[in-house]
Amino acid sequence: MRITFCCTGTKAEPWLQGLRAALPEATIEEWAPGAPQADHAVVWAPPQAMMDEQPALRGVFNIGAGVDALMRLKLPAGATIVRLDDAGMSVQMAEYVCHAVIRHFREFDVCADNELDARWVFNRQLRRGDFPVGVMGMGVLGERVAKALLQFEFPVNGWSRSPKQVDGVRGFHGQDQFDAFLGASRVLVCLVPLTPETVDIMRRDTLSRLRPGGYVINVARGGHLVDDDLIALIDEGHLTGATLDVFRTEPLPQDHPFWSHPKITVTPHTSARTVRDDSIEQIAGKILAMERGEAVEGVVHPDRGY
Amino acid sequence: MRITFCCTGTKAEPWLQGLRAALPEATIEEWAPGAPQADHAVVWAPPQAMMDEQPALRGVFNIGAGVDALMRLKLPAGATIVRLDDAGMSVQMAEYVCHAVIRHFREFDVCADNELDARWVFNRQLRRGDFPVGVMGMGVLGERVAKALLQFEFPVNGWSRSPKQVDGVRGFHGQDQFDAFLGASRVLVCLVPLTPETVDIMRRDTLSRLRPGGYVINVARGGHLVDDDLIALIDEGHLTGATLDVFRTEPLPQDHPFWSHPKITVTPHTSARTVRDDSIEQIAGKILAMERGEAVEGVVHPDRGY
């Protein structure tokens, strides 16, 4: 069995070592033009040329949860595309989102400003019932985030493509219930996959439906958000701010207004990073299962885009 | 039935209104010198004079979880002292502590500094297994905090006076296991009651036992911490910082070094504030239960001090 590794922006050597240790019977090499035909590929944002040269691939394993970059390529006809299910990412996502929601709800940024001036003043005491959080996208990550938020007794709404029941979460699904979902939410957490249907899903008309004082947390893809609409809605006062981890262009350009906007918090696409050891273990397990003819979790449906 | 209300630093009117609505058969008034003998008192840091003038009190209800200020008084011999069990405080405590732990672990303060300079740089990726959190004090608040931390997959140690089992928490108890508890912990969360045994419990020799890179979160009482020892251990590098919500003198004096220390975060005793409506409901229910001769939760044992 031959496995090719082609992950843009990733140091290959530790991955190759880990994969070789986990799959000692396989030949595992970094991809380069003209490389021999492989049975499986481990990829992150690979070039089209790599796919064109590897028509025999049976499995393509994405080392992240979002496969939008992969879906823009023409892929080998016989290949099954598999994304990471979790691999240590959902707990990071839960802690990133809970941190952002709590910081917003408790106004810890106001505390920090007061601290600079050695000022002992109490924040307003707000009611958590007035801060329903809407989790847009209830996959592995969304469900984990929703459950973490429930523990802090925030009302939680979940929106997904198809009906999904999670204890304690008020479920909404499909396009028909999208407006109702937005209207029931004050804090919006974006965790949907980026597909042609979800590009620009956060724009003036949708974000305007959030409850007054709305707050946006984007931990999915920059392409979900119309940047200028967000800034306008904050400056007009309908939204109170945003925490953004993903951007249309990454790294976020130095002159982008998000950097300096006082009500927008920017982090450099770090909400949930791939944990290498967990990922290697998961991918190796799935390759072996696929070779045995077993079903694996996380198979991507190219028609729906995730 | 007559109830007297004596809460220093608290606006009486909304409490009186709420208590009167919950207990319409009772006469409820704010205490003043010479007030008639009451059956029950609702108090926060009352003066000794009030207790001296009210020998007939059967119940003294503290509108907070910590009764250390009350324990310093001479109380009526026949009075049962009752503290608030929860009343909306444990969820606030869980979110305050989780926010502080996540902010520390994920180095979100570094992100904020980078944001000021529009710098797109990744933080170090740290292993949460290297950040065991020790919860000192496993009462209602401590247990809630421990459970919230477990959800983010931090290893959690709990220390209590008597043995206490909580699923997923490594339990330590008593003086004998205190050093082992400290040695197994890197982040220390203080949630013990302030008693003669726990005054100065966080000082040079105890804090030195935390794992290197230790971090202190004090949400109990200022009297638990020796301020100068904390600063020295941070400046020497054994500890990396602290988040402090309580202080030996409150408000924290303007010239106290905690305010300006770059590795210490100060908040103005707001980790968990009494939620008035919840508290009134709880106290009214306990007064009625006591009048019916039933046992109530939260009775303070004056010998152990909480």
Side-chain angles (χ1 to χ4, degrees):
Chain A
M1 178 168 58
R2 183 176 286 275
I3 299 171
T4 188
F5 181 89
C6 181
C7 295
T8 305
T10 307
K11 221 158 78 179
E13 202 45 49
W15 283 87
L16 294 173
Q17 280 180 21
L19 287 164
R20 284 171 189 146
L23 298 165
E25 71 290 2
T27 302
I28 307 176
E29 285 165 338
E30 192 170 6
W31 179 80
Q37 295 298 308
D39 304 288
H40 299 282
V42 175
V43 304
W44 180 252
Q48 181 63 53
M50 181 251 158
M51 291 297 169
D52 292 343
E53 286 189 15
Q54 293 283 338
L57 286 175
R58 295 199 300 277
V60 174
F61 295 84
N62 193 59
I63 65 165
V67 292
D68 43 293
L70 210 49
M71 289 295 103
R72 287 193 287 268
L73 302 181
K74 192 174 175 327
L75 301 168
T80 299
I81 316 301
V82 186
R83 58 181 153 75
L84 282 183
D85 298 324
D86 188 326
M89 282 189 292
S90 71
V91 63
Q92 295 176 67
M93 201 54 99
E95 74 189 358
Y96 182 97
V97 172
C98 286
H99 179 271
V101 171
I102 294 170
R103 178 166 172 269
H104 172 60
F105 170 59
R106 295 288 292 262
E107 298 186 321
F108 281 130
D109 54 337
V110 176
C111 289
D113 286 346
N114 288 331
E115 188 178 352
L116 289 176
D117 303 330
R119 281 198 295 153
W120 182 275
V121 285
F122 299 119
N123 284 353
R124 302 176 288 171
Q125 203 165 359
L126 301 167
R127 289 162 36 89
R128 70 191 63 233
D130 293 336
F131 284 76
V133 183
V135 180
M136 186 160 69
M138 287 289 285
V140 173
L141 300 178
E143 185 172 339
R144 176 74 178 250
V145 165
K147 286 178 176 166
L149 290 165
L150 282 177
Q151 185 167 273
F152 299 111
E153 300 180 15
F154 292 102
V156 178
N157 304 313
W159 183 75
S160 45
R161 190 177 158 118
S162 48
K164 170 129 195 178
Q165 274 213 306
V166 176
D167 267 0
V169 175
R170 183 174 167 201
F172 297 83
H173 70 274
Q175 207 48 55
D176 288 355
Q177 297 181 10
F178 187 51
D179 286 357
F181 163 76
L182 293 170
S185 303
R186 178 159 167 180
V187 179
L188 181 66
V189 179
C190 180
L191 268 167
V192 286
L194 186 64
T195 68
E197 287 83 53
T198 65
V199 167
D200 295 344
I201 194 168
M202 292 185 287
R203 55 181 184 269
R204 175 172 280 279
D205 68 309
T206 53
L207 295 179
S208 296
R209 291 198 174 86
L210 291 176
R211 293 197 182 176
Y215 192 85
V216 170
I217 298 172
N218 191 11
V219 281
R221 287 289 182 266
H224 288 123
L225 177 68
V226 179
D227 297 359
D228 292 344
D229 288 0
L230 175 75
I231 291 175
L233 285 165
I234 294 174
D235 293 347
E236 291 162 18
H238 179 66
L239 300 180
T240 52
T243 292
L244 306 175
D245 187 50
V246 289
F247 306 92
R248 295 188 100 93
T249 305
E250 294 182 5
L252 183 66
Q254 287 249 331
D255 59 353
H256 195 289
F258 284 165
W259 279 118
S260 58
H261 196 291
K263 295 186 174 168
I264 294 176
T265 297
V266 168
T267 56
H269 203 149
T270 57
S271 54
R273 288 158 75 184
T274 300
V275 179
R276 194 171 54 226
D277 293 350
D278 294 2
S279 305
I280 287 169
E281 190 182 336
Q282 186 183 130
I283 290 170
K286 286 180 176 179
I287 288 176
L288 293 174
M290 212 184 261
E291 289 290 311
R292 290 191 301 265
E294 298 168 8
V296 298
E297 292 283 313
V299 170
V300 173
H301 303 278
D303 52 322
R304 65 173 194 189
Y306 65 95
Chain B
M1 179 168 58
R2 183 178 286 275
I3 299 172
T4 189
F5 181 87
C6 182
C7 294
T8 305
T10 305
K11 220 158 80 181
E13 202 44 49
W15 283 87
L16 293 173
Q17 279 179 21
L19 287 165
R20 284 173 189 147
L23 298 166
E25 71 290 1
T27 302
I28 307 175
E29 285 166 339
E30 193 170 7
W31 179 80
Q37 295 299 308
D39 304 288
H40 299 282
V42 176
V43 304
W44 180 252
Q48 180 64 53
M50 181 249 158
M51 292 296 169
D52 292 343
E53 286 190 15
Q54 295 283 337
L57 287 176
R58 295 198 300 276
V60 173
F61 295 84
N62 193 59
I63 65 165
V67 292
D68 43 294
L70 211 49
M71 289 294 104
R72 288 193 287 268
L73 302 182
K74 189 170 176 331
L75 301 169
T80 299
I81 316 299
V82 186
R83 59 182 153 74
L84 281 183
D85 298 322
D86 187 325
M89 282 189 292
S90 70
V91 62
Q92 295 176 65
M93 200 56 99
E95 73 188 1
Y96 183 97
V97 172
C98 285
H99 179 270
V101 171
I102 294 170
R103 178 166 171 269
H104 171 61
F105 170 59
R106 295 287 293 262
E107 299 185 321
F108 282 129
D109 53 338
V110 176
C111 288
D113 285 346
N114 288 332
E115 189 179 350
L116 289 176
D117 303 329
R119 280 197 297 154
W120 183 276
V121 286
F122 299 118
N123 284 355
R124 302 177 289 173
Q125 203 165 0
L126 301 167
R127 289 162 34 92
R128 68 191 65 232
D130 293 335
F131 284 77
V133 183
V135 179
M136 185 161 69
M138 287 290 284
V140 172
L141 300 178
E143 183 172 339
R144 175 72 177 251
V145 165
K147 286 178 176 167
L149 290 165
L150 282 176
Q151 184 167 273
F152 298 111
E153 299 179 17
F154 292 101
V156 178
N157 305 312
W159 182 76
S160 45
R161 191 177 157 117
S162 49
K164 169 127 193 179
Q165 273 213 306
V166 176
D167 267 1
V169 175
R170 184 175 167 201
F172 297 82
H173 70 275
Q175 207 48 56
D176 288 355
Q177 298 182 12
F178 188 51
D179 285 358
F181 162 76
L182 293 170
S185 304
R186 178 161 168 180
V187 179
L188 181 66
V189 179
C190 180
L191 268 167
V192 285
L194 186 64
T195 68
E197 287 84 55
T198 64
V199 167
D200 294 344
I201 193 169
M202 292 185 287
R203 56 181 183 267
R204 176 172 279 278
D205 69 308
T206 54
L207 294 179
S208 296
R209 291 195 174 90
L210 291 175
R211 294 197 182 175
Y215 192 84
V216 171
I217 299 172
N218 190 11
V219 281
R221 287 288 183 267
H224 288 124
L225 177 67
V226 179
D227 297 359
D228 292 345
D229 287 2
L230 175 75
I231 290 176
L233 285 165
I234 293 174
D235 292 348
E236 291 163 18
H238 180 67
L239 300 180
T240 52
T243 292
L244 307 176
D245 187 50
V246 289
F247 306 92
R248 294 186 101 94
T249 305
E250 294 183 4
L252 184 65
Q254 287 247 329
D255 58 353
H256 195 288
F258 284 166
W259 279 117
S260 57
H261 197 291
K263 294 184 175 169
I264 294 177
T265 298
V266 168
T267 55
H269 201 148
T270 57
S271 55
R273 288 158 74 185
T274 301
V275 178
R276 193 171 55 226
D277 294 350
D278 295 2
S279 305
I280 287 170
E281 192 183 336
Q282 187 185 127
I283 290 171
K286 285 181 177 178
I287 288 176
L288 293 174
M290 212 183 261
E291 289 291 311
R292 290 190 303 263
E294 298 169 8
V296 299
E297 292 283 312
V299 170
V300 173
H301 303 279
D303 52 322
R304 65 173 195 191
Y306 64 93

